[in-house]
Amino acid sequence: MGTSAALSPLLARPDIWRGDQFASAPLPVLPSGFADLDAALPGGGWPRGALTEILLDGSGVGEISLLLPALQTLRAGGGWTLLVAPPFPLHAPAWLAAGIDLARLVIVSPARADEALWAAEQALASHAPGAVLAWAPRADARAVRRLQVAAAGSMAAAFLFRPASARSEASAAPLRLALAATAQGELEVELLKRRGPPLAAPLRLALRRPAKVISRESPREYDAPLAGSGPALRLQPQPLSA
Amino acid sequence: MPPAGLLLEVGGCLRLFGGRKRLVQQVRAGLRDQGLEQGASLALAPTPQGALWLGQGAARLSSSGGAAIAMTVSACFDLPQLHQALDALPVAALALPPKVAQRLEGFGLVTLGQTRRLPLAELTRRLGPPAMALIARAYGELPDPRPEFVFPLQFAQSIELPAPSDKADALLFAARRLTAALAGWLALRQSVMAECRLILAHRPTPQNPPATELVLGFASATRDPQRLERVLRERLQRLPLPAPVESLRLEATRIEATADSSGNLFDAGDGSGAAGEAMAALIERLQARLGAAQVQGLAPVADHRPECATAAKALSAATGVATAFQPDPAAKPRPFWLLAHPLPVANRDGRPSLGGPLSLLAGPERIESGWWDGGQAHSAAPADLRRDYFIAQTADHRWAWIFRDLKPPGGWFLHGWFA
């Protein structure tokens, strides 16, 4: 079915998106620092002025490492980063070693979940920070919509962390990803929703991990570390004497 | 002016007040009106220090005499008269530095005149040049310039509400006139304000205080009425009021001079410009609602104990404080998240297990520290810790930082996540 002549100028408008192509308007983005991911993201990076929803279960998957290159880019421009209701206290030496400017890092740790959403909304609406990372395990669709509206006017990169159980819920965020760690130490990024055609297979990103992964074929070397055959690990299990 | 004194330079305004006698009468009347008559003594002298000492001497006489002398006036109109009057003053009556007074008493000197008769060089050696200069100034032998008294900047303005109200919006509307007045007042004086106080007065009842006070602090000194209003709105909305408010009073309690008198045309890019301003306003707004302790910065601390390596930093100025702490490029990896309290990890057949066996990928890294401060400095961290840290992967491949406690009773603990 061809497009009629009257319709084509309308379809050329930048704010009309057709399901089979990336949005054509140049979007303000923050490069993610991962070439594979940038290629899969509309505009070639994390969207600014739009909410990005990141779904994962637990911590330690690599969720911060995924955002680090973008946060470092932000630092070069003198932007502030705001963390709202992080799941655990931050360990300052790690953030410093990762190249985060601690002088421009603000941590908001409200006592209640609704206060966290309020704080994230205020931060986005103020247009002040360059990036807002918010953790909201119990945010509902209405709260996500509010955040998206607040983010829409700003130039901030907005990231909302939610549990993987939110995957099936409707969400106003234009970009949604699900994260999982792999046995090989990579980060599996599944693009659940983006402005563009759906991505068939999840991406596998090589993150900087704190240690090398032991191949899964020999998972027992911890039990027999001194035999000399396994990898050169200096692990010496000692029965704990109470 | 110790102990309590007021120095007036009157030489230049005698004609205006109609001569010395009239002026003294006016000053006495003023003191009487303010209830300061009792114990006050007036002294006129050609030198400020001389006048002060004469006044102190007279106050001493009147208090030791016991008689209720209404107000003494000692007056000397030229230097010879002053010298004569000062010579007769007892040293004990003067507010001299304690050490000097003690020395003079030790020498057996009772009056200033006796002191002055001693050889100058000897006396200087014993009393020190500052005390000698003080005496010389009193006698008019050294010039004695005094700094002028400058009144501190103060702003206080009240407004009566047309009808008592306890609605935050109505109060905010009324307060807008005060905040606008304050902003204009600050702009005129090229000043900014770091703290102000709003006093909400209500009808006094036996069980209620007559007024509720609201102290507004600012992350960076400002005179922006909108910022003031935003903070005020947050606070007013959550302020419990015991009774409807009848009048408002705004006082600026901390006023600072500012260097720049006009807005920046271009953002300087170092946080001092528009982005820094907006950020300071945001921090203020969050702190006003959530509390200052809930909105904080982060600073590294050079301590081997992971628990002690992070300090919360108060966010006050728009530009954060640059830390001198440099990360060691050869440092061992550290997790982004550090649990507030290490979480005990199950031990299955000698292996740590967190919802499935943990595979240890790197380690051990021995951290043994803190024996010196006995747990005093950081309540969160144990003193004298001895731990072997490992980087481990959970059954679902997440990256954990765990340790084995080497101190009895031992055991495995989860301490952080490499996020």
Side-chain angles (χ1 to χ4, degrees), chain B residues 18-252:
Chain B
R20 291 182 193 120
K21 209 167 175 182
R22 289 265 188 85
L23 181 69
V24 169
Q25 277 170 1
Q26 281 194 36
V27 171
R28 290 179 68 158
L31 286 173
R32 200 174 298 130
D33 291 345
Q34 301 207 16
L36 298 170
E37 192 182 5
Q38 201 67 39
S41 57
L42 291 179
L44 282 163
T47 67
Q49 190 62 46
L52 193 65
W53 278 357
L54 285 180
Q56 285 170 359
R60 169 93 170 195
L61 273 181
S62 66
S63 65
S64 64
I69 304 166
M71 204 185 300
T72 58
V73 181
S74 21
C76 307
F77 302 119
D78 51 25
L79 278 178
Q81 265 186 26
L82 174 67
H83 285 192
Q84 213 178 343
L86 284 177
D87 279 348
L89 274 183
V91 171
L94 310 179
L96 286 169
K99 212 167 180 179
V100 175
Q102 217 177 339
R103 285 263 166 87
L104 288 174
E105 200 192 330
F107 300 157
L109 298 173
V110 179
T111 65
L112 267 180
Q114 288 171 342
T115 312
R116 296 263 298 169
R117 276 196 288 279
L118 293 177
L120 193 63
E122 282 298 297
L123 201 63
T124 310
R125 198 167 62 77
R126 306 217 169 159
L127 295 182
M132 293 309 291
L134 195 66
I135 295 174
R137 282 197 199 103
Y139 278 83
E141 288 157 0
L142 276 180
D144 192 2
R146 301 272 170 158
E148 280 182 34
F149 179 77
V150 181
F151 280 95
L153 282 179
Q154 271 185 337
F155 176 90
Q157 203 170 332
S158 327
I159 190 171
E160 295 282 334
L161 298 186
S165 169
D166 54 1
K167 303 269 186 300
D169 283 342
L171 294 177
L172 195 69
F173 183 76
R176 200 167 290 157
R177 270 178 55 186
L178 297 178
T179 55
L182 174 58
W185 185 86
L186 288 168
L188 270 182
R189 280 156 188 81
Q190 299 203 355
S191 302
V192 287
M193 162 204 57
E195 194 183 80
C196 66
R197 194 161 56 182
L198 184 74
I199 296 152
L200 307 115
H202 11 88
R203 192 187 300 277
T205 56
Q207 64 270 30
N208 287 334
T212 308
E213 205 178 290
L214 198 61
V215 177
L216 307 173
F218 292 88
S220 66
T222 183
R223 59 162 174 258
D224 179 3
Q226 280 163 4
R227 234 172 105 184
L228 181 57
E229 210 179 299
R230 272 198 304 268
V231 173
L232 196 60
R233 181 192 299 274
E234 285 304 330
R235 296 291 300 272
L236 272 180
Q237 279 170 350
R238 298 184 310 131
L239 184 74
L241 284 169
V245 175
E246 293 188 325
S247 73
L248 297 174
R249 180 179 174 83
L250 185 67
E251 293 176 359

Side-chain angles (χ1 to χ4, degrees), chain A residues 183 212-219 221 231 233, chain B residues 359-361 393:
Chain A
K212 282 203 174 64
V213 178
I214 305 166
S215 70
R216 288 280 139 174
E217 280 67 52
S218 53
E221 69 263 332
L233 267 171
Chain B
S359 39
L360 307 187
L361 301 182
Q393 224 179 349

Side-chain angles (χ1 to χ4, degrees), chain B residues 191-409:
Chain B
S191 302
V192 287
M193 162 204 57
E195 194 183 80
C196 66
R197 194 161 56 182
L198 184 74
I199 296 152
L200 307 115
H202 11 88
R203 192 187 300 277
T205 56
Q207 64 270 30
N208 287 334
T212 308
E213 205 178 290
L214 198 61
V215 177
L216 307 173
F218 292 88
S220 66
T222 183
R223 59 162 174 258
D224 179 3
Q226 280 163 4
R227 234 172 105 184
L228 181 57
E229 210 179 299
R230 272 198 304 268
V231 173
L232 196 60
R233 181 192 299 274
E234 285 304 330
R235 296 291 300 272
L236 272 180
Q237 279 170 350
R238 298 184 310 131
L239 184 74
L241 284 169
V245 175
E246 293 188 325
S247 73
L248 297 174
R249 180 179 174 83
L250 185 67
E251 293 176 359
T253 39
R254 272 220 324 269
I255 296 167
E256 294 164 9
T258 174
D260 66 334
S261 53
S262 54
N264 285 349
L265 183 55
F266 301 108
D267 190 315
D270 56 357
S272 59
E277 275 279 301
M279 203 61 210
L282 170 67
I283 290 169
E284 249 161 53
R285 188 137 198 237
L286 297 177
Q287 284 182 336
R289 164 114 171 225
L290 307 174
Q294 265 63 47
V295 185
Q296 284 193 314
L298 209 62
V301 178
D303 194 312
H304 290 294
R305 286 166 292 178
E307 281 98 332
C308 307
T310 306
K313 184 186 72 188
L315 290 162
S316 55
T319 47
V321 186
T323 50
F325 187 92
Q326 286 301 317
D328 179 6
K332 295 267 177 18
R334 287 284 179 270
F336 285 118
W337 304 133
L338 194 76
L339 274 61
H341 301 286
L343 188 75
V345 168
N347 189 349
R348 298 235 163 76
D349 315 325
R351 293 182 58 174
S353 169
L354 193 73
L358 286 165
S359 39
L360 307 187
L361 301 182
E365 182 193 349
R366 174 72 55 88
I367 294 181
E368 190 167 7
S369 188
W371 46 266
W372 58 85
D373 69 5
Q376 304 292 317
H378 306 275
S379 54
D384 188 14
L385 55 84
R386 252 183 321 138
R387 296 164 176 175
D388 273 346
Y389 275 89
F390 295 86
I391 297 167
Q393 224 179 349
T394 63
D396 53 352
H397 318 308
R398 294 186 293 137
W399 293 75
W401 204 39
I402 63 171
F403 69 84
R404 187 168 56 180
D405 203 346
L406 298 177
K407 282 177 36 174

